[in-house]
């Protein structure tokens, strides 16, 4: 691994963070920004979950991870504790892979 890509990525992250901190106050007080910003982490997390669940390399797949996600979603809808959600999803993935 060369150091150049690592340094470029680090500099890009720093500049992006600096750009966010340098925004004028009037832009941050815009009602559209105030409504949108709290939703960004949820959208990013949902995208990461979808990519990690339904892809293998460059291909879409439907395997045990999808079943585990469905069970985890159902457990969350039933307001189960976090540990129960994780254990239920892991057990579902293990059972589907066993079959």
């Amino acid at each position: 691994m060369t150091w150049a890509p690592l340094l470029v990525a680090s500099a890009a992250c720093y500049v992006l963070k600096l750009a966010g901190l340098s925004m004028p106050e009037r832009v941050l007080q815009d009602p559209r920004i105030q409504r949108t910003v709290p939703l960004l982490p949820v959208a990013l997390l949902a995208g990461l979950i979808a990519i990690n669940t339904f892809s293998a390399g460059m291909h879409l797949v439907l395997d045990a991870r999808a079943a585990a996600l469905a069970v985890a979603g159902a457990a969350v809808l039933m307001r189960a504790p976090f540990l129960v959600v994780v254990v239920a999803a892991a057990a579902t993935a293990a059972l589907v892979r066993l079959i």
Side-chain angles (χ1 to χ4, degrees):
M1 176 179 194
T2 62
W3 282 96
L6 181 64
L7 294 174
V8 169
S10 297
C13 288
Y14 180 76
V15 169
L16 186 62
K17 181 77 167 181
L18 186 62
L21 293 173
S22 302
M23 294 295 284
E25 190 68 28
R26 63 179 171 78
V27 173
L28 297 175
Q29 295 303 324
D30 185 3
R32 293 175 296 182
I33 299 295
Q34 294 290 322
R35 285 190 312 265
T36 306
V37 168
L39 302 175
L40 290 176
V42 175
L44 289 172
L45 183 59
L48 287 172
I49 289 171
I51 287 173
N52 285 323
T53 301
F54 300 112
S55 69
M58 298 295 291
H59 302 288
L60 289 174
V61 294
L62 193 60
D63 60 2
R65 296 175 292 180
L69 181 62
V71 168
V76 167
L77 286 175
M78 293 188 310
R79 300 192 183 274
F82 179 72
L83 188 58
V84 172
V85 172
V86 171
V87 169
T92 301
L95 288 173
V96 170
R97 288 183 177 149
L98 183 65
I99 296 175

